[in-house]
Structures are given as structure tokens and as C-alpha cells.
Amino acid sequence: MEIENGTKSDLVLDSKFAQIKAKLVKQLPLTLRWLALMLTTTAAIGMGLNKQRKTAVVAIVGTKPISQTFTAEFQQTTAFVYFVVANALASLYNIMFVLLRPCFKGKENKLWIHILDLMIMVIVATGAAAATSMAELGKNGNVHARWNPICDKFDAFCLHGGMALIASFVGALDLLLLSILSLVALHRSVQGQELVSLSV
Amino acid sequence: MKTMSKALRGLSIFIRIGIAAACAAAAIIMATSHDSTSFFGVTMEAKYQYTPSFKFFVIANAIASGYNVLVIFVPAASPFSGLVIMSDTIMAMLLTGALAATGAISEMAKHGNIHAGWLPICRQIPAYCDHVSGSLISAFVGLIVFVVIILCNIYKIVSLDLHVCH
């Protein structure tokens, strides 16, 4: 009797774990989507508001020093502009997806969702790659082209840009996971259709 | 039906060889780009090793080229087909990252960045810039044909038929 009770409670516990696990797995795509939305928005806003001004004395005329303001902003570099645009596009896509999700639950939409997911991931990844190459150039310079590094002078600019880059990289990884999940969902829906047609 | 699948297999082999050739050409052209000029007694030399993005570009294209040659020897609908589909996507991402980074640096070399005090260098070393742009074009062609393979892979998954493109 006691052994029977023990096995019965074990079975109940296992099924409870299975239920919790199934619920978590069901929420995974939406969680990843929210995470991607937050990361890409952070990256776009972080780089979009990236600006640093520095005033330096460039000459002394008589006794009067002449100072000039040097500005480092993201619009000066084409790669950073593309970075902001790519991340803004991705966050817009994620917002639209989260808002319009109830409309697109059908099986025929899964292919389009997967293709769009792939496209957005590639756009974010290229933006991050281009901005990273520019950031590396800004940090280390290029001796042979006589390009001096600027990160020692504009440290806040480099720091904010670096954080936006990290957010974008994690967002690209997240979008890759979402693409894989949508591909698996597409495969499952197609397999389910096949089984239905076979059984009919 | 058998001739159809044989023709598709031949077409896919042809496409993969094309991609391998384009990526190998991109890597070789970039690796052999070298120019130097001297003005006002100062020598300016340009090699691909001086820029980390260009090094990454050469390595990525070499890897993609070798990978495509290896994938030709995978038989159709073998246990490795799923692995090939996944590796195709990873390889495409690698190529896009390399292309994006190299494109950014090339645009900087051509137009410079006045605000950072970086002067464009393409006027002084035009042969190097031409080499690099030729290499970029070749890698772009390889990547676009690679996208065709990726679309083929998606079709393979949707139609549950691993014989279509491979």
C-alpha cells in the first residue's frame, strides 16, 4: 500500500513537472520576441542619442585663447547611421509582430514569418558588423593610413556606442534563435498537415 | 523522375562550385592586394593585413569556399542533410558579417571622415582600392548565389523532400 502510494505521488509529480515544462516551452517564442524588441530598441536609442562635445583651446591670439568645440556624433559615420536604421527597423518589426500576433496564428503564415525573421536577423547582423568594424577603427586607429584613434579623446562616445553594439549583438543572437524556432514550427506544421492528409 | 533528380543534383553541384569559385576569388584577390606610394618623402603602404576587417574577410571567404567544396561530396538525403542545412545558414551569416565589415571600412577609405581627421586614402593608392572593390564584388556575387541555396533549403523543409536541391 505504501509503495503503491509512493509510486502514485511520483507519477503525479512527474506529470506536474511535464506540465510546467510544457507551459514554459509554449511561452518561449513570445519571451524571446519581447527580449529581441527590448534589445534592438536599446541599441537603436543608445546609438541614436550618442553625442559628445569637447571644447579645446586651439590657439592663443595675444592674451586671448581661442577655443573650438569638437563634436562626435553618430551621423558622422555612415556605418553608425546604418546601424541605427537597422536596429530601428528590427524593433519596429518586433513591435508589429507582438501587436499583430493574434491575426497571424494560421498555418499558412508560418512560412512568411520565418522568411521575415531571417531577413530581419540578417539586417541587424550586418548593421552590427559594419558598426563594429568602425568602432574597432575608432579605438585602435590605423597607423598605415594615418588615421588616429579617437576613443581616448571621446571616451563617453565610445562607451555608449560600445554598449549599443553589445545590445545589438545579443539582439542578433536572439533573432537567430527566433528564426530557428520559427523554422521548427514551420517544419512541425508541415509535418502535421502531411499526417492529416495521410490519415484522410 | 530519376533523370529529374539527377539534373537537380547536377544543378546544385554547379551552383556550389560557382559559390566556391566566387569566394575563393574574393579571398585571393584581397590577399594579393598590395600597393605603396610615396609623397613628400613619406611612404604609404597598403596591405590587407593592416586592417583586421580585411583579414576577417579573407578568412571567412576561404572558409566558405572550402565548405562549399566539401558539401558537394555529401550524398542526397543522407543523415548529414540536416547538418548541411544548419551549416549553410551559419556560413551565410559569416559571409554577410565579413562583407558588411569590409564594406564599411572601404567606404571610410574612399570618403574619409573629416570630423575624426581621417583623410581618404584611395586617391594615393588607387590600385589597392580597385583590388579591394573587385574582391568585394566577387564576394557579393558568391553571397547572392548562396542566398539562392538558403531559399532552396527552406523549400526542402517546407516540402519535406530532401532530394530537391541536393
Side-chain angles (χ1 to χ4, degrees), chain A residues 125-168:
Chain A
T126 49
T132 308
S133 70
M134 281 300 127
E136 193 271 339
L137 202 59
K139 195 167 169 69
N140 298 327
N142 194 337
V143 173
H144 304 95
R146 285 163 181 55
W147 291 339
N148 299 320
I150 61 157
C151 270
D152 45 359
K153 301 185 190 83
F154 294 98
D155 44 359
F157 180 74
C158 280
L159 191 67
H160 291 153
M163 292 200 290
L165 272 173
I166 291 173
S168 176

Side-chain angles (χ1 to χ4, degrees), chain A residues 40 43-45 47-48 74-75 77-93 120 123-124 126-128 131 168:
Chain A
T40 49
I45 291 178
M47 187 61 91
F74 83 97
Q75 294 106 317
T77 314
T78 325
F80 288 160
V81 171
Y82 176 57
F83 178 80
V84 171
V85 166
N87 279 286
L89 204 64
S91 60
L92 196 72
Y93 168 76
I120 292 290
I123 287 175
V124 169
T126 49
S168 176

